[in-house]
Amino acid sequence: MEAVMNLLHDMGIQATRWLQEHFQGSQDWFLFISFAADLRNTFFVLFPIWFHFSESVGIRLIWVAVIGDWLNLVFKWILFGERPYWWVHETDYYSNTSAPEIQQFPLTCETGPGSPSGHAMGAAGVYYVMVTALLSTAMGKKQLRTLKYWVLWMVLWTGFWAVQVCVCLSRVFIAAHFPHQVIAGVISGMAVAKTFQHVRCIYHASLRQYLGITFFLFSFALGFYLLLRVLGVDLLWTLERARRWCAHPEWVHIDTTPFASLLRNLGILFGLGLALNSHMYLESCRGKQGQQLPFRLGCVATSLLVLHLFDAFKPPSHMQLLFYVLSFCKSAAVPLATVGLIPYCISQLRATQDKKAV
């Protein structure tokens, strides 16, 4: 098994070298793709847009992203996937020859295990939700599949696979993942998104259910981590390798650790449950104004602006516990502002203007 994995990893290293040699001029493009495929952009950009035009799609986006990333964390802890930028130095596969030299970039030095790719899994799940939502809207209530529908079907799925290929090539180019890891990520992400097409309870879940699921996800991950620690397995082994082999120590970021992503995602889910069950949401998005296009456009524009400014706040990383707590709170504030606070403020402002006009 080890010989097979060494051969697979060597093929991945050769793929990374080939991409870096032949597409060096596309470095900025690949770095942009890796940045854009981060789930942070799903929460701060895609979610506000989709939620205020189609609440069900916005809610499904969050669930697919959160549960998908949680499963990704569990898979990584089970599979112990290597990453190219440290494997090429740690392995004895090249003991008789010189190890291939691969270039590193500011986004290379992620600290968690490598398999499956979280970026590929997240992008596949999120874009699958958006493509299927657009196609469902195009069919309409009568479920008619006209020529226009099939043209749109071809355009959207071509775009979907183009995005997935770009994300996969980007992760391999920057030496963050091996090819088999990004392929596994795409398949896993699509499977999660496909599953949530048939889960209807997420659209009317109570606050108690949100709290229960958030607590379960955290407890399971923490319990699994502690169990493996008791069995002598150190799930943070990758952090030491990242620090040892990253070309620049400042490229190793605490927000790429497994627990950082876990608490970020759980904060998003908790905040969504809190917002959907708040009186602010009921009085604004569920009120008369919630059906009006100017109100929705105002919510989208304001949410994007506020979240962009809010994202500039970076929790201090010198104290891990404080960083994790603040990351959770910051994440919870994203859906709370998007779903509850901002729509409520806009609805109150519009109501005041209407009264003055009368």
Side-chain angles (χ1 to χ4, degrees):
M1 184 63 180
E2 183 180 357
V4 173
M5 291 307 300
N6 281 338
L7 181 61
L8 195 60
H9 288 149
D10 177 58
M11 292 172 60
I13 293 295
Q14 301 308 321
T16 297
R17 285 189 64 192
W18 187 86
L19 285 173
Q20 290 183 352
E21 288 175 1
H22 290 81
F23 295 93
Q24 189 62 39
S26 302
Q27 171 182 326
D28 292 339
W29 168 251
F30 283 127
L31 288 173
F32 169 75
I33 292 295
S34 275
F35 167 78
D38 192 286
L39 281 181
R40 180 185 289 105
N41 293 307
T42 297
F43 301 140
F44 282 82
V45 179
L46 298 178
F47 170 66
I49 296 173
W50 275 102
F51 181 82
H52 289 296
F53 286 111
S54 177
E55 288 188 9
S56 61
V57 178
I59 292 172
R60 189 158 78 248
L61 270 180
I62 292 295
W63 279 87
V64 168
V66 169
I67 300 300
D69 209 45
W70 182 83
L71 288 172
N72 181 265
L73 170 66
V74 175
F75 288 155
K76 283 180 174 178
W77 279 350
I78 294 174
L79 298 176
F80 292 90
E82 303 280 356
R83 289 187 184 269
Y85 77 92
W86 75 56
W87 180 85
V88 73
H89 299 290
E90 291 277 340
T91 184
D92 57 2
Y93 184 78
Y94 303 109
S95 57
N96 296 326
T97 59
S98 58
E101 292 186 6
I102 55 176
Q103 190 176 352
Q104 296 182 21
F105 304 91
L107 299 180
T108 296
C109 303
E110 296 197 3
T111 57
S115 188
S117 166
H119 281 69
M121 189 170 177
V126 166
Y127 279 84
Y128 187 95
V129 169
M130 293 191 292
V131 167
T132 53
L134 289 171
L135 290 176
S136 178
T137 302
M139 274 198 302
K141 295 181 179 179
K142 295 182 179 180
Q143 301 290 298
L144 296 177
R145 301 190 177 187
T146 61
L147 177 61
K148 290 182 179 180
Y149 168 84
W150 287 113
V151 171
L152 180 64
W153 184 94
M154 183 169 294
V155 170
L156 290 178
W157 282 116
T158 300
F160 172 85
W161 285 111
V163 169
Q164 306 316 310
V165 169
C166 285
V167 172
C168 292
L169 290 177
S170 167
R171 303 305 289 169
V172 174
F173 176 87
I174 68 173
H177 287 290
F178 293 100
H180 69 278
Q181 296 174 342
V182 293
I183 293 173
V186 170
I187 295 172
S188 302
M190 293 179 64
V192 172
K194 180 66 176 177
T195 300
F196 270 93
Q197 279 187 310
H198 309 288
V199 180
R200 315 306 302 175
C201 60
I202 60 176
Y203 305 116
H204 48 78
S206 65
L207 179 58
R208 178 177 295 181
Q209 290 172 318
Y210 270 97
L211 290 174
I213 293 172
T214 301
F215 180 75
F216 168 77
L217 295 177
F218 177 75
S219 300
F220 185 94
L222 182 61
F224 187 55
Y225 169 78
L226 294 175
L227 174 63
L228 292 182
R229 283 297 298 269
V230 170
L231 296 177
V233 179
D234 182 14
L235 292 177
L236 299 182
W237 59 277
T238 56
L239 185 58
E240 182 271 333
R241 291 194 179 182
R243 289 171 173 165
R244 181 190 304 173
W245 297 114
C246 187
H248 299 273
E250 64 272 17
W251 289 353
V252 179
H253 301 292
I254 189 175
D255 61 353
T256 63
T257 60
F259 278 109
S261 63
L262 173 67
L263 290 172
R264 178 190 65 184
N265 294 328
L266 295 185
I268 289 286
L269 191 63
F270 171 74
L272 180 63
L274 204 60
L276 290 175
N277 292 277
S278 67
H279 77 279
M280 293 186 295
Y281 165 73
L282 296 175
E283 290 185 18
S284 55
C285 296
R286 285 297 181 179
K288 292 182 180 180
Q289 295 190 41
Q291 307 303 318
Q292 300 174 4
L293 183 59
F295 172 79
R296 294 184 179 186
L297 290 173
C299 288
V300 170
T302 307
S303 295
L304 291 175
L305 176 60
V306 170
L307 293 183
H308 175 71
L309 297 174
F310 186 59
D311 192 34
F313 166 70
K314 305 297 181 184
S317 58
H318 59 279
M319 294 178 59
Q320 284 195 13
L321 181 59
L322 178 63
F323 176 85
Y324 290 147
V325 171
L326 291 179
S327 295
F328 179 87
C329 294
K330 176 183 176 180
S331 297
V334 171
L336 191 59
T338 302
V339 176
L341 184 60
I342 291 174
Y344 180 76
C345 291
I346 292 178
S347 67
Q348 292 299 308
L349 182 60
R350 285 170 59 90
T352 302
Q353 291 176 340
D354 291 342
K355 288 181 180 179
K356 289 181 178 179
V358 173

